[in-house]
Amino acid sequence: MKQIDVCFTPDLLHLHTFENTIVVVADVFRATSCMVTAFAYGVNSITPVATIEECQQLQERGYLAAAERNARKVDGFELDNSPFTYMDERIRGANVAMTTTNGTLAITKSRSAVKVLVGAFLNLDAIVRFLKTERYDVMVLCAGWKGRVNLEDTLFAGALVDRLKDSYAMAEDSAIMAWRLYAQGKDNLIGYMSNASHIRRLQRLGIQKDIAYCLQHDLYDVIPVLRGSSLVSMEVK
């Protein structure tokens, strides 16, 4: 039987293998939610990079550039890390360069996998439908926060495990832990996460609407997939 595993933070990736594995990267607040929204609103591609310098270089080549550090937009870039920014006509057909504190780093570290998909609650059902048709194992890579575990990405991993548990065996305790956390909180995720560190961080910035938006399930039928160095939208059947 195919297996599903969860890596709680990129700092633990050295304990996992990418062999015969599809990686689903989740940075719910807010990078992967932004990416899913951007493709739903017609962006052509997103190139995730680890550093601000790489993002600047692509900006100089004509890319729309998004840079975030510590949940704030970096000066000198056009786009920030709020999904509402990507509901703008100017992103339709655009090529975007993006660097964030956690999410883009997690994607760049996953490139040796069979496939790298971008996951969020917003496209959870699309991810589930696609993975059920695949023959590979799955690892959910939680972007976390600066190497630490965070609750929102772990809950996304648990939601994915929950929907795939009849098709995939839980490989390790991390998958069981994520699944059980999601089972506890799924009926009221905002309330369940009320004391989570990143919730408090975003609330201090006055962007509660981003929190509520990013926790919505199954809004979009798009799956960003890494092709070469860029994310593009994959058709979902």
Side-chain angles (χ1 to χ4, degrees):
M1 190 175 188
K2 300 178 292 186
Q3 294 192 324
I4 185 166
D5 198 2
V6 175
C7 181
F8 289 129
T9 162
D11 281 19
L12 296 175
L13 270 178
H14 65 283
L15 302 174
H16 298 263
T17 177
F18 289 143
E19 185 179 354
N20 201 46
T21 299
I22 295 173
V23 172
V24 181
V25 176
D27 184 0
V28 170
F29 296 148
R30 295 166 286 165
T32 58
S33 296
C34 286
M35 293 169 179
V36 170
T37 301
F39 281 107
Y41 278 80
V43 76
N44 182 58
S45 72
I46 298 174
T47 302
V49 293
T51 68
I52 291 172
E53 291 73 24
E54 291 172 287
C55 200
Q56 286 174 326
Q57 290 169 6
L58 290 172
Q59 184 184 39
E60 291 167 1
R61 290 168 48 189
Y63 285 66
L64 276 178
E68 169 268 330
R69 289 295 183 270
N70 299 313
R72 297 178 183 272
K73 178 174 172 286
V74 179
D75 290 342
F77 294 89
E78 294 94 345
L79 304 172
D80 60 16
N81 199 35
S82 169
F84 294 100
T85 301
Y86 298 86
M87 300 176 184
D88 190 306
E89 188 62 31
R90 66 177 167 163
I91 67 101
R92 185 171 297 279
N95 296 311
V96 173
M98 183 183 292
T99 184
T100 70
T101 306
N102 306 291
T104 56
L105 181 63
I107 292 169
T108 59
K109 285 187 172 184
S110 306
R111 285 178 173 158
S112 60
V114 173
K115 285 187 179 74
V116 180
L117 310 180
V118 166
F121 287 110
L122 300 172
N123 70 335
L124 178 60
D125 184 64
I127 293 275
V128 168
R129 294 200 320 270
F130 174 74
L131 292 177
K132 283 185 175 180
T133 69
E134 290 293 293
R135 58 186 176 87
Y136 300 103
D137 293 335
V138 170
M139 183 176 70
V140 188
L141 174 56
C142 303
W145 177 260
K146 298 184 178 180
R148 303 183 184 111
V149 176
N150 70 20
L151 186 55
E152 64 271 14
D153 297 342
T154 303
L155 286 170
F156 168 81
L160 190 57
V161 171
D162 183 62
R163 295 199 188 185
L164 290 174
K165 64 183 184 294
D166 294 332
S167 304
Y168 287 78
M170 297 182 208
E172 300 289 346
D173 289 356
S174 55
I176 298 171
M177 290 163 64
W179 175 51
R180 289 181 176 173
L181 276 176
Y182 179 70
Q184 288 176 3
K186 64 181 180 180
D187 293 331
N188 180 13
L189 284 181
I190 291 179
Y192 188 71
M193 293 187 58
S194 59
N195 291 319
S197 59
H198 207 33
I199 289 272
R200 298 196 307 270
R201 201 174 288 117
L202 295 177
Q203 286 174 336
R204 285 195 296 269
L205 296 174
I207 42 182
Q208 287 89 339
K209 67 176 185 176
D210 284 17
I211 296 168
Y213 174 81
C214 292
L215 293 177
Q216 294 179 95
H217 290 42
D218 310 328
L219 285 191
Y220 303 121
D221 241 2
V222 300
I223 301 178
V225 59
L226 194 64
R227 297 267 167 81
S229 60
S230 296
L231 294 163
V232 295
S233 186
M234 180 171 61
E235 292 293 328
V236 186
K237 296 180 181 178

